[in-house]
């Protein structure tokens, strides 16, 4: 079974600075998807960014980018120019690309605090 | 477009009571999921369904049952609630083929407290 590990339970960053959240995963599959979700205090799960394993190019969405290292099974999230609204729980998630395995497997999350 | 709607949003149960959480989606998604979220544990899959009339166990299925009699609805039942089932429950849905924004849509969650 696939597992996702987020080794940083909590992180903090100063407003306007850059922070990187770590995620590693364990799988024997070669084709899969990786996601970062944001959960603010409202509890809503918001998709931040996703990456297909077959793509070598790292995904980018505005101030959010990933560093995808397939061989190392690492998928970190970089938040640039941090804003107060970025404060939230961040979850890394894995999904197999194989049919019949469309489950999202989540890490335990990283709580990000943004200091003004 | 309502997306995924969960009812109720909050509930307090006494130990031993039963209840059903309802999840409804209006996106014609084939797949539906129930997760629970506990502090420091992330989201863990309880049960899921890949189509009307089919269900399967996830990572933490004990103490829960599910039914998917209609494609748009996925019910999560607690037959005899226990304090260990105090949690926030999330429903999610996705299409069979992921495309575009990869289709996982989450409900807003149900906070359940068992006393």
């Amino acid at each position: 079974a696939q597992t996702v590990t987020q080794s940083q339970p909590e992180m903090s960053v100063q407003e306007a600075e850059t922070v990187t959240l770590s995620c590693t995963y364990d799988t024997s599959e070669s084709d899969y998807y990786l996601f970062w979700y944001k959960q603010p205090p409202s509890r809503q799960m918001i998709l931040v960014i996703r990456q297909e394993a077959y793509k070598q190019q790292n995904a980018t969405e505005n101030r959010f980018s990933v560093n995808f290292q397939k061989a190392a099974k690492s998928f970190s999230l970089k938040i640039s120019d941090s804003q107060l609204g970025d404060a939230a729980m961040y979850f890394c998630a894995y999904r197999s690309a194989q049919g019949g395995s469309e489950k999202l497997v989540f890490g335990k999350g990283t709580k990000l605090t943004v200091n003004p | 477009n309502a997306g995924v709607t969960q009812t109720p949003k909050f509930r307090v149960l006494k130990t031993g009571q039963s209840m059903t959480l309802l999840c409804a989606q209006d996106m014609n998604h084939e797949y539906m999921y129930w997760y629970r979220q506990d502090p420091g544990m992330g989201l863990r899959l309880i049960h899921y369904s890949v189509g009307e009339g089919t269900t399967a166990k996830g990572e933490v299925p004990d103490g829960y049952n599910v039914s998917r009699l209609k494609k748009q609805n996925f019910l999560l039942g607690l037959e005899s609630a226990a304090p260990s089932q105090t949690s926030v429950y999330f429903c999610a849905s996705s299409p069979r083929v992921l495309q575009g924004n990869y289709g996982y849509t989450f409900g807003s969650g149900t906070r359940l407290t068992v006393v």
Side-chain angles (χ1 to χ4, degrees):
Chain A
Q2 293 82 17
T3 58
V4 177
T5 301
Q6 294 178 248
S7 59
Q8 306 152 317
E10 296 187 19
M11 291 282 285
S12 63
V13 63
Q14 291 297 126
E15 195 175 4
E17 294 188 346
T18 296
V19 64
T20 298
L21 308 184
S22 300
C23 173
T24 59
Y25 57 94
D26 185 27
T27 184
S28 59
E29 299 174 336
S30 60
D31 196 13
Y32 47 86
Y33 305 93
L34 296 165
F35 305 83
W36 278 99
Y37 279 88
K38 171 186 178 181
Q39 186 183 45
S42 66
R43 282 199 323 233
Q44 188 64 40
M45 294 292 287
I46 301 166
L47 177 64
V48 175
I49 201 165
R50 74 269 185 185
Q51 174 84 40
E52 297 97 319
Y54 66 87
K55 289 186 177 180
Q56 293 184 341
Q57 185 175 4
N58 289 326
T60 299
E61 288 287 342
N62 300 314
R63 297 183 295 108
F64 298 87
S65 62
V66 298
N67 183 6
F68 173 48
Q69 301 290 327
K70 190 172 184 179
K73 297 180 183 176
S74 172
F75 183 61
S76 61
L77 175 69
K78 185 173 80 171
I79 306 174
S80 303
D81 186 24
S82 296
Q83 301 176 359
L84 295 177
D86 295 334
M89 284 291 292
Y90 286 82
F91 293 98
C92 180
Y94 171 103
R95 178 200 178 278
S96 170
Q98 294 182 359
S101 301
E102 290 80 1
K103 300 169 287 184
L104 274 180
V105 178
F106 287 90
K108 294 184 178 181
T110 296
K111 182 179 181 180
L112 178 65
T113 301
V114 181
N115 300 310
Chain B
N1 188 351
V4 175
T5 303
Q6 291 182 231
T7 52
K9 297 191 184 305
F10 302 93
R11 184 73 184 268
V12 178
L13 281 181
K14 293 183 179 180
T15 297
Q17 286 185 321
S18 64
M19 77 162 295
T20 299
L21 281 68
L22 172 64
C23 177
Q25 54 97 0
D26 61 1
M27 298 166 288
N28 202 35
H29 285 171
E30 289 84 0
Y31 300 145
M32 298 186 75
Y33 314 84
W34 276 108
Y35 288 89
R36 61 176 290 174
Q37 182 180 15
D38 303 291
M41 299 299 292
L43 280 77
R44 293 180 293 171
L45 184 64
I46 305 171
H47 286 281
Y48 64 101
S49 169
V50 298
E52 183 177 322
T54 68
T55 63
K57 295 180 180 179
E59 180 185 355
V60 288
D62 294 342
Y64 305 94
N65 57 75
V66 289
S67 64
R68 184 128 180 245
L69 300 180
K70 295 182 178 181
K71 185 177 183 179
Q72 63 268 33
N73 296 335
F74 195 30
L75 280 63
L76 178 70
L78 286 73
E79 291 187 348
S80 179
S84 61
Q85 294 177 304
T86 293
S87 188
V88 177
Y89 292 85
F90 284 95
C91 177
S93 70
S94 73
R96 179 179 293 115
V97 177
L98 296 189
Q99 54 188 320
N101 67 358
Y102 295 105
Y104 286 93
T105 303
F106 285 83
S108 58
T110 296
R111 180 176 293 279
L112 175 66
T113 302
V114 182
V115 298

